Amino acid sequence: MNGAQIILEALQREGIDTVFGYPGGANLPIYQHLPEYRSLRHVLVRHEQGAAHMADGYARASGRPAAVFATSGPGALNLVTGLCTAFMDSVPMVVVTGQVPTAMVGRDAFQEADVVGCTQPVTKHNYLVTRVQDLPRVMREAVHLATSGRPGPVLVDVCRDVQQASCEPSWPEELDLPGYRLPGPPDRSRLEEAARALDRAERPVILAGHGVILSRAEPELLALAERAAVPVGTTLLGIGAFPVRHPLSLHMTGFMGTGWNLRAVQEADLLLCVGMRVDDRVTAKLDEWAPRAETFIHVDIDPSEIGKNRRPHIEVVADARAALGGLAELVTPPEPERRRLWLTRIERWREEHPLRYLRSDGQLQPQDVVIEMYRRCRDRAIVVADVGLNQIWAALWWNYDRPGRFLNSGGAGTMGFALPAAIGAKLACPEQAVWCVAGEGGFVMTAQELSVAVEHGLDVKVVLLNNFSLGMVRQFQDDFYGGVRSQVGLHVIPDFVKLADAYGLAGCRVERLDEVPAAFDFAERTPGPVLIDCRIDPEANVYPIVPLGKGLNDFRELPDEYA
Amino acid sequence: MSTRERLRVLTAVVQDHPGVLFRVCGMVRRRGFNIQGLSVGPTDQEGRSRMTLAVDAGHAEVDQVAKQLDRLVEVIEVRDLTEEPTLNRQLALVKLAVTGPHRDRAVAEVDRAGGRVLDAGPEHLIAEVSGEQERVERLIGSLRPFGLIEVARSGPVAMSKGIPKRIAEEVSHA
Ligand SMILES: Cc1ncc(C[n+]2csc(CCOP(=O)(O)OP(=O)(O)O)c2C)c(N)n1
């Protein structure tokens, strides 16, 4: 076997079935042997960034990792944004890049770049392989590291001569990673302590992050919340960890979270955060966050997340599922009377601070579009949002009941994520309807991947919430930067229906609310990808929103005159 | 907090793979910490190196430096020695351009400060001094008037005093 075959064989052995990739000088040996490996489905992307986002969407939708191939230099560097996106959101991915031949490394050879150096900050781990006999071990380690513990992307950079060198592979039985330890079961006494704190709390709140979804801990979260009668909010990436329509749901937290969620977080005397980083989009101004929480309990699989931003009173380093399951058993269900006051207060906040938007017969409101989509698909669809206002509308105006139904780039906020990630999600879950929601700004950043959807006949329905501007930046400028609208107008954009046509997919345009149902009928009727260009109110905003630099208490709602 | 108060002294046992030093330094920089002193050397175990780092933790919580180091796959064990009784040593080589009567006084000064003359020529002396950072700095200062032309200093090497409980138990069982 040669190195290229070992790489392909290793992926196959590890159960990876899909590769998103792009060939070039430094990975041609891999492509030469690819056809021998029939169980590996290769998807030829149109830009390497698309490959990383597709593998990302694939893993977020299915929980299974995919592989990514790229050539050296510019090919590998085009992956960096996609790696960062996956890394920030703890998404597993195995990336194999070609590197110049061993003897050329360090000489500024054609298409040489220090890929291991460039990708170190955006991968969980990475390797440069200069000896073919190392490949079986490195490939096994790469898959193990990517998928275990707190998942993340792992990159293996392989010199071209190594891909061509022969060796009889010896596949390691055991991995020897002395510096990589996975957390064991949660510390019993910490869980006891947390359970007693929950028993004592008058105004408890649970916040759930992506970690709950990654560890498939939704049943345990539901059991804990119901047993202890504790309301549950989620982060943007935690959406789906707890059913939005559940009576105990606080919906989304953070600087664009729901008013009743923010009130509850700010009033809580106990806050239990599970599988989340407690980052600035969740806390807004950190020293004004959850000021009344006498007990802050933080559960995370990554010890470095605990105490990074706010020091907890009780910390549990463990997988979310084990910790929540343990807690659910240990808590004592409160007398219904005991929680009534707190839950009634939350109910009142829900009524005082409902999600609102501008109702208008004139211009199309984005929320109306999302609501119509939801009415049709309920929880049968996977919604992949891009970044910007469209992302928050899709997060807030849909009642997600299950995990893996709302995918978006939370930590990195990468515009251009949605279309390729939706393609990846569709390939992972062909039986699910997949809707891609994007602004016209982010969409054009990776629009070339439409060809992939067409080539594979993928039923990905693209809904553009087209406001002819970089909407979220425009809102920030209006609200926080003196109303100076600077470089946010996208006055010259393609005719998206013609663009769809040029790429070989069906498209239509919607300008009024009453045209929406027909457009969705058309999209649902038409097999394969469809693009709907929704010309929405260019002034539509996201509310509530916490002004930059302010605390959660200062959230602003839709001004009354618009409601 | 002053830089001094934010300073953490850590030791890390790492796999001695190519690029490990780059990974450790990159992580320290990315997290907004700053390396004030660093030394690396082999351990008595094959394939393992030991690093001593003096790190300014910046605005981070004090345990973040150790936790972030520990996250690196090739870092096997991290200890934060800042709060423990620790021995912390540095080494310096000092070259002086000295002739005539200065020379004897310089040698006497090196002696007085507990240093050692390693090399002597007609026009120069090289002295070695080791100890806590302050001591090394004091000696260098006291030699300055004698025509100091070059100083080479190592980073810190640190070790906690006593025997950790775990190892003490193993030893007593043996
Ligand atoms: C790659 C990248 N560049 C810049 C930004 C900053 N940014 C955040 S939201 C936004 C506007 C997005 O506009 P559009 O895609 O039209 O979506 P809208 O907000 O209008 O829904 C920008 C520029 C980003 N998140 N990602």
Side-chain angles (χ1 to χ4, degrees):
Chain A
M1 265 193 188
N2 69 15
Q5 289 168 309
I6 293 173
I7 291 167
L8 294 160
E9 170 89 21
L11 292 176
Q12 209 169 48
R13 283 169 161 256
E14 297 290 341
I16 289 178
D17 58 11
T18 305
V19 184
F20 301 95
Y22 209 80
N27 65 359
L28 285 181
I30 296 176
Y31 278 93
Q32 181 187 350
H33 292 283
L34 181 65
E36 298 159 21
Y37 292 82
R38 292 290 193 75
S39 75
L40 290 176
R41 164 176 59 178
H42 184 276
V43 176
L44 177 66
V45 299
R46 298 304 188 263
H47 183 293
E48 289 88 350
Q49 182 183 349
H53 291 329
M54 284 180 207
D56 183 321
Y58 186 97
R60 288 189 209 229
S62 67
R64 287 175 286 129
V68 172
F69 290 168
T71 189
S72 66
L77 295 182
N78 274 345
L79 295 174
V80 171
T81 304
L83 288 170
C84 178
T85 306
F87 184 59
M88 290 288 275
D89 292 350
S90 312
V91 180
M93 183 181 302
V94 179
V95 181
V96 179
T97 49
Q99 181 55 278
V100 301
T102 324
M104 304 297 288
V105 170
R107 298 176 187 231
D108 297 324
F110 176 64
Q111 291 193 328
E112 178 180 2
D114 173 13
V115 171
V116 161
C118 291
T119 61
Q120 210 148 81
V122 291
T123 51
K124 184 170 169 184
H125 193 53
N126 62 16
Y127 297 86
L128 171 65
V129 183
T130 55
R131 301 188 320 170
V132 67
Q133 59 271 34
D134 292 340
L135 269 174
R137 172 183 60 79
V138 167
M139 289 301 295
R140 267 213 69 190
E141 287 181 5
V143 177
H144 175 67
L145 290 170
T147 52
S148 59
R150 179 178 178 178
V154 176
L155 181 140
V156 183
D157 197 25
V158 188
C159 291
R160 196 183 65 211
D161 54 320
V162 174
Q163 299 168 36
Q164 288 173 306
S166 319
C167 102
E168 212 32 66
S170 87
W171 302 99
E173 292 290 321
E174 306 257 304
L175 293 179
D176 179 29
L177 292 165
Y180 184 67
R181 284 169 304 272
L182 297 172
D187 184 312
R188 186 80 189 173
S189 62
R190 293 279 170 82
L191 285 188
E192 285 280 0
E193 204 186 334
R196 294 297 77 81
L198 272 164
D199 291 347
R200 275 194 314 272
E202 296 290 333
R203 305 183 305 280
V205 165
I206 299 174
L207 292 179
H210 198 201
V212 173
I213 294 176
L214 288 167
S215 79
R216 299 163 197 257
E218 312 83 46
E220 287 77 6
L221 175 61
L222 188 65
L224 172 63
E226 289 183 344
R227 222 172 117 77
V230 181
V232 180
T234 72
T235 64
L236 176 66
L237 287 179
I239 283 179
F242 195 78
V244 172
R245 281 174 301 176
H246 194 284
L248 288 169
S249 167
L250 297 172
H251 210 328
M252 188 171 93
T253 197
F255 103 123
M256 289 176 168
T258 63
W260 69 96
N261 181 303
L262 305 190
R263 296 296 297 266
V265 168
Q266 294 301 81
E267 279 300 309
D269 66 345
L270 178 146
L271 195 57
L272 166 59
C273 288
V274 191
M276 54 184 274
R277 299 179 291 132
V278 192
D279 84 329
D280 52 302
R281 285 285 147 122
V282 161
T283 64
K285 192 170 183 209
L286 188 58
D287 48 20
E288 291 178 15
W289 182 63
R292 306 194 59 196
E294 286 151 27
T295 312
F296 171 40
I297 307 170
H298 196 172
V299 177
D300 203 278
I301 196 165
D302 181 347
S304 75
E305 291 303 344
I306 290 176
K308 186 171 78 179
N309 294 325
R310 159 89 82 114
R311 175 113 353 241
H313 304 98
I314 304 170
E315 59 174 77
V316 181
V317 177
D319 183 63
R321 186 169 191 176
L324 288 172
L327 270 178
E329 279 174 22
L330 291 171
V331 288
T332 321
E335 297 296 323
E337 246 338 270
R338 247 197 97 213
R339 280 288 187 270
R340 220 194 47 209
L341 193 61
W342 178 228
L343 296 178
T344 315
R345 282 178 79 188
I346 291 175
E347 214 37 59
R348 207 169 54 238
W349 288 327
R350 198 195 300 269
E351 283 156 21
E352 282 170 15
H353 306 284
L355 283 173
R356 294 190 306 181
Y357 67 98
L358 181 70
R359 310 275 170 162
S360 154
D361 305 329
Q363 281 178 307
L364 183 58
Q365 297 303 313
Q367 296 90 343
D368 281 325
V369 177
V370 176
I371 290 167
E372 173 65 18
M373 281 166 63
Y374 174 66
R375 212 181 51 71
R376 284 163 181 265
C377 344
R378 301 281 157 169
D379 62 354
R380 292 194 314 275
I382 297 175
V383 178
V384 188
D386 209 70
V387 167
L389 298 178
N390 62 87
Q391 177 182 27
I392 307 301
W393 289 322
L396 290 178
W397 293 93
W398 192 292
N399 295 323
Y400 298 97
D401 281 344
R402 285 193 281 159
R405 288 296 183 274
F406 178 61
L407 316 181
N408 73 119
S409 163
T414 304
M415 284 170 71
F417 171 80
L419 174 65
I423 289 170
K426 185 71 194 177
L427 283 161
C429 306
E431 69 295 346
Q432 299 289 332
V434 174
W435 290 83
C436 162
V437 178
E440 76 294 352
F443 174 71
V444 298
M445 287 194 171
T446 52
Q448 71 283 348
E449 306 303 338
L450 282 174
S451 292
V452 175
V454 173
E455 183 176 344
H456 295 265
L458 299 176
D459 247 315
V460 173
K461 312 300 183 196
V462 181
V463 177
L464 291 186
L465 299 177
N466 181 355
N467 52 11
F468 286 83
S469 64
L470 301 174
M472 185 176 279
V473 177
R474 195 261 309 134
Q475 182 177 353
F476 279 27
Q477 292 184 344
D478 285 355
D479 291 357
F480 317 130
Y481 289 92
V484 181
R485 292 192 176 182
S486 174
Q487 301 299 316
V488 287
L490 293 176
H491 308 296
V492 178
I493 51 173
D495 177 327
F496 288 110
V497 177
K498 283 189 185 155
L499 182 90
D501 188 44
Y503 272 102
L505 62 142
C508 64
R509 177 163 302 129
V510 175
E511 292 179 76
R512 292 200 323 269
L513 180 55
D514 56 11
E515 299 168 346
V516 173
F520 283 140
D521 284 345
F522 167 71
E524 286 179 321
R525 223 177 31 236
T526 310
V530 175
L531 182 149
I532 307 176
D533 176 19
C534 301
R535 299 278 175 93
I536 60 164
D537 179 357
E539 301 292 317
N541 282 337
V542 154
Y543 291 105
I545 185 168
V546 177
L548 299 177
K550 292 280 172 61
L552 290 189
N553 284 337
D554 297 311
F555 71 89
R556 287 189 201 158
E557 295 182 90
L558 178 73
D560 275 332
E561 62 265 33
Y562 294 120
Chain B
M1 264 200 298
S2 70
T3 318
R4 206 162 243 308
E5 289 165 46
R6 292 185 315 228
L7 203 69
R8 314 294 307 174
V9 177
L10 304 103
T11 61
V13 176
V14 302
Q15 293 182 285
D16 63 359
H17 294 166
V20 168
L21 186 60
F22 174 65
R23 269 182 218 282
V24 167
C25 297
M27 187 284 295
V28 169
R29 181 194 57 75
R30 282 201 297 284
R31 294 285 165 185
F33 317 142
N34 194 3
I35 295 186
Q36 305 272 325
L38 169 72
S39 70
V40 197
T43 63
D44 59 350
Q45 229 187 325
E46 173 140 351
R48 304 266 194 278
S49 304
R50 177 171 164 132
M51 295 183 176
T52 304
L53 300 108
V55 177
D56 174 356
H59 56 247
E61 297 283 339
V62 291
D63 57 354
Q64 271 294 308
V65 186
K67 283 179 167 177
Q68 292 294 341
L69 277 171
D70 215 12
R71 256 179 121 194
L72 299 173
V73 171
E74 288 154 318
V75 172
I76 298 166
E77 192 189 323
V78 182
R79 285 183 66 192
D80 189 331
L81 303 180
T82 316
E83 319 291 346
E84 290 182 41
T86 308
L87 292 172
N88 192 331
R89 289 284 176 275
Q90 296 191 2
L91 175 74
L93 298 177
V94 183
K95 190 184 284 178
L96 304 169
V98 281
T99 44
H102 284 312
R103 190 184 180 82
D104 294 343
R105 275 198 280 136
V107 172
E109 184 64 36
V110 170
D111 246 19
R112 206 175 57 78
R116 219 150 50 100
V117 174
L118 297 182
D119 183 43
E123 290 174 335
H124 82 282
L125 281 181
I126 296 179
E128 168 196 316
V129 57
S130 72
E132 301 255 339
Q133 178 172 342
E134 291 73 24
R135 199 179 108 82
V136 171
E137 277 163 10
R138 228 178 314 116
L139 182 78
I140 295 172
S142 69
L143 291 175
R144 202 171 296 275
F146 296 98
L148 180 135
I149 52 175
E150 199 179 332
V151 178
R153 281 176 65 179
S154 75
V157 207
M159 188 178 275
S160 68
K161 290 186 183 167
I163 296 180
K165 239 209 197 124
R166 178 172 52 81
I167 296 179
E169 278 162 15
E170 279 169 22
V171 171
S172 70
H173 286 297

